[in-house]
Amino acid sequence: DIQMTQSPSSLSASVGDRVTITCRASQSVSEHLNWYQHRSGEAPKLLIYGSSRLKNGVPSRFSGSGSGTEFTLTISSLQVEDFATYYCQQSDSTPLTFGPGTKVDIK
Amino acid sequence: QVQLQESGPGLVKPSETLSLTCTVSGGAISTYYWALIRQSPGKGLEWIGYIYNGGTVTYNYSLASRVTISVDTSKNQFSLKLNSVVAADTAVYYCARGRSSGGLGYFDYWGQGLLVTVSS
């Protein structure tokens, strides 16, 4: 299985801050890396697929980059609605696996 | 807008079979991947498997001996059966629609999730 790790596991930030989350894979996943936002009690939402492709309708303050084993999700200016847990997921090989999540809360 | 809704019992006894149905609205079930994903309390997300092309399935090998995913295109539904459940199968179970852009699937729509507790 491809193991996914994320750092940090949690962070506190203020509205307007730039936030960067890192996801690492235990072996290369090419650009087959996806990012999700999960607010408690809601359905998870796809933000980014294929490492850097923004899903239609997702605000442009979200961006993704990386290839191989290291990836980043950046929120350029954090908004109130962005406080949530973020997960990466590799889609390079089965079993598809997720990172453990990064919880973003209010400072 | 595609919507997915999970339904099924919220409580299952140990050694019995967990059954969950996902109803899809706003889109045809005959295309895309249709996936089951779960999240155990305090743990991360685990892909269970998916069904596509009207009946081809791929399972997480860790659960493959106990899992069956099926589809009913006439009802726009797909279903999960997980047999011989144990307490560790307690989780929120999500239905999701999968797509591919060269890889093996990302999930662009999810249901709200159904908490299933395994307990006597």
Side-chain angles (χ1 to χ4, degrees):
Chain A
D1 299 10
I2 296 177
Q3 308 300 320
M4 308 300 294
T5 59
Q6 290 181 233
S7 60
S9 57
S10 65
L11 66 91
S12 294
S14 300
V15 172
D17 284 354
R18 182 181 182 89
V19 168
T20 298
I21 299 168
T22 298
C23 174
R24 291 185 175 87
S26 60
Q27 64 190 72
S28 176
V29 297
S30 185
E31 293 185 340
H32 302 140
L33 191 286
N34 315 298
W35 290 97
Y36 301 88
Q37 177 192 68
H38 191 195
R39 289 193 282 256
S40 182
E42 298 185 7
K45 293 180 181 177
L46 175 70
L47 300 173
I48 302 278
Y49 64 97
S51 177
S52 61
R53 302 179 190 183
L54 196 67
K55 181 189 175 185
N56 282 347
V58 173
S60 59
R61 63 180 179 272
F62 291 95
S63 63
S65 65
S67 66
T69 61
E70 187 158 332
F71 301 85
T72 58
L73 172 71
T74 299
I75 309 172
S76 61
S77 178
L78 198 67
Q79 301 300 302
V80 170
E81 59 267 31
D82 301 336
F83 292 98
T85 300
Y86 293 84
Y87 295 94
C88 60
Q89 173 240 330
Q90 65 82 17
S91 50
D92 190 71
S93 65
T94 58
L96 307 180
T97 48
F98 292 83
T102 295
K103 185 176 181 180
V104 177
D105 62 21
I106 301 173
K107 183 183 286 185
Chain B
Q1 178 79 343
V2 175
Q3 293 185 317
L4 295 94
Q5 180 66 57
E6 302 89 351
S7 59
L11 181 64
V12 182
K13 290 182 168 56
S15 81
E16 295 190 346
T17 296
L18 182 160
S19 296
L20 181 151
T21 296
C22 306
T23 301
V24 179
S25 58
I29 203 168
S30 54
T31 52
Y32 304 107
Y33 298 77
W34 300 97
L36 280 301
I37 296 160
R38 70 180 183 180
Q39 185 169 32
S40 302
K43 295 190 177 180
L45 294 159
E46 179 180 30
W47 172 73
I48 299 170
Y50 51 37
I51 190 166
Y52 57 102
N53 286 347
T56 303
V57 292
T58 303
Y59 299 134
N60 189 324
Y61 71 87
S62 67
L63 296 166
S65 63
R66 300 193 290 133
V67 167
T68 302
I69 298 175
S70 59
V71 66
D72 185 338
T73 54
S74 68
K75 295 181 179 178
N76 238 37
Q77 294 177 333
F78 62 107
S79 299
L80 167 71
K81 290 192 186 300
L82 178 65
N83 57 37
S84 305
V85 296
V86 297
D89 293 314
T90 294
V92 176
Y93 286 77
Y94 294 99
C95 307
R97 188 180 84 168
R99 299 187 68 172
S100 172
S101 63
L104 295 173
Y106 59 88
F107 306 107
D108 61 349
Y109 292 99
W110 297 60
Q112 294 274 78
L114 178 69
L115 174 61
V116 180
T117 302
V118 177
S119 175
S120 56

